[in-house]
Amino acid sequence: MRLDKLLSNMGYGTRKEVKQLMKKGAVRVNTEPVKDAALHVDTEKDEVTVLGERVVYKEFMYLMMNKPQGVLSATEDKRDRTVIDLLDAEKEIYELFPVGRLDKDTEGFLLLTNDGKLAHNLLSPKKGVPKTYYAHIEGIVTEEDTERFLEGVILDDGYETKPGELHILKSADISEIELTITEGKFHQVKRMFEAVGKQVIYLKRLSMGSLNLDERLALGTYRELTEEELQQLMQISGE
Ligand code: URA
């Protein structure tokens, strides 16, 4: 990769600003000062420093966000704010996108990355990655619903869902549940409840595979995955 591109991607300024740094002798490759912006560096082998600070090249970025309501899980939209609009400007260079979709009024766990292969694997119906949701349901959720979800329910378009694991946390006029499903059909949780004559009035995703939403993340905030979480993610996606 060209040296100026590498430094610009890693947040050392525009290509022009990076050139200025080089002119000043601030940039070294394998301890040698370099002034040639077009120099090709091997990001695995070459040691690049700026003012003595090692530049560690990262191609991929993985963020966990606690998505708030009212924001679209898309990269851009003419009318509404998107989850990408919630990121710091310095993340722009990574060209992140959300892995899968949560409805505008759904909160919770959302993964953002620029790793297309991983995203593809996580969303592949073949992998059947489990996703767990917490919801408030209008009406009394019963054991019969649990059984029906286990068998799979027929959605409004005639599609029969795979088994869903429903746990009733509170059965009341407004019930509280947790539901784990291994698919990601459009509005799936809402439509599964509609199939048993009930309505979801609040929905939050808690987890994807073994990755749980970090409850310390306030709505609309995010953090990078830890090394351990990243390993788990790679396992889930079969990498
Ligand atoms: N199911 C839904 O109905 N909505 C979501 O946002 C996610 C799953």
Side-chain angles (χ1 to χ4, degrees):
M1 181 183 295
R2 274 177 66 123
L3 183 57
D4 56 352
K5 181 161 192 251
L6 167 79
L7 293 176
S8 181
N9 281 2
M10 296 322 295
Y12 286 93
T14 59
R15 296 251 184 127
K16 206 167 153 200
E17 285 163 344
V18 163
K19 266 194 192 133
Q20 294 299 323
L21 277 174
M22 288 183 188
K23 257 195 195 155
K24 284 189 213 153
V27 179
R28 289 173 184 249
V29 176
N30 302 325
T31 72
E32 289 297 317
V34 173
K35 298 212 160 84
D36 176 11
L39 180 83
H40 272 258
V41 286
D42 181 335
T43 52
E44 305 261 303
K45 290 192 193 127
D46 292 322
E47 184 182 288
V48 181
T49 59
V50 175
L51 294 166
E53 182 188 273
R54 177 99 192 253
V55 178
V56 182
Y57 178 67
K58 226 190 311 185
E59 185 179 4
F60 295 122
M61 166 83 55
Y62 305 89
L63 301 178
M64 173 195 297
M65 176 183 279
N66 187 359
K67 179 195 168 295
Q69 292 184 356
V71 174
L72 295 184
S73 36
T75 49
E76 51 183 29
D77 190 79
K78 286 203 185 80
R79 265 193 355 204
D80 286 308
R81 269 199 319 161
T82 72
V83 287
I84 301 301
D85 296 329
L86 301 180
L87 303 179
D88 291 337
E90 72 194 35
K91 297 281 185 296
E92 224 172 273
I93 50 158
Y94 288 100
E95 300 180 335
L96 299 167
F97 55 85
V99 178
R101 280 176 181 255
L102 289 179
D103 297 336
K104 188 174 170 185
D105 61 357
T106 301
E107 293 179 357
F109 185 106
L110 187 66
L111 188 70
L112 296 146
T113 187
N114 53 352
D115 184 341
K117 198 166 161 210
L118 178 118
H120 176 81
N121 284 344
L122 285 175
L123 297 175
S124 157
K126 268 193 242 145
K127 303 263 184 219
V129 174
K131 283 149 292 233
T132 299
Y133 295 86
Y134 166 82
H136 292 174
I137 311 295
E138 192 161 347
I140 298 174
V141 179
T142 63
E143 287 305 328
E144 197 192 320
D145 296 325
T146 307
E147 279 159 32
R148 287 189 61 188
F149 277 19
L150 258 189
E151 286 161 12
V153 292
I154 313 276
L155 301 184
D156 48 8
D157 58 0
Y159 176 78
E160 184 175 352
T161 68
K162 297 224 170 72
E165 219 177 283
L166 177 63
H167 293 282
I168 303 168
L169 306 176
K170 184 174 158 195
S171 185
D173 289 346
I174 305 277
S175 299
E176 288 176 42
I177 62 96
E178 270 184 28
L179 175 63
T180 302
I181 53 175
T182 55
E183 305 170 286
K185 300 273 174 236
F186 186 59
H187 295 327
Q188 182 154 347
V189 176
K190 291 174 185 163
R191 288 162 73 212
M192 283 177 79
F193 275 98
E194 274 162 25
V196 295
K198 281 155 202 155
Q199 205 191 340
V200 173
I201 51 176
Y202 169 79
L203 187 59
K204 173 183 181 178
R205 182 154 67 189
L206 301 177
S207 66
M208 202 166 171
S210 53
L211 282 196
N212 295 316
L213 176 68
D214 183 342
E215 292 288 349
R216 287 168 301 186
L217 283 177
L219 283 167
T221 66
Y222 58 89
R223 67 159 169 78
E224 274 190 62
L225 293 190
T226 62
E227 202 45 51
E228 198 181 324
E229 286 169 334
L230 194 53
Q231 292 310 321
Q232 286 177 28
L233 198 64
M234 296 295 168
Q235 263 183 3
I236 302 166
S237 78
E239 285 293 295

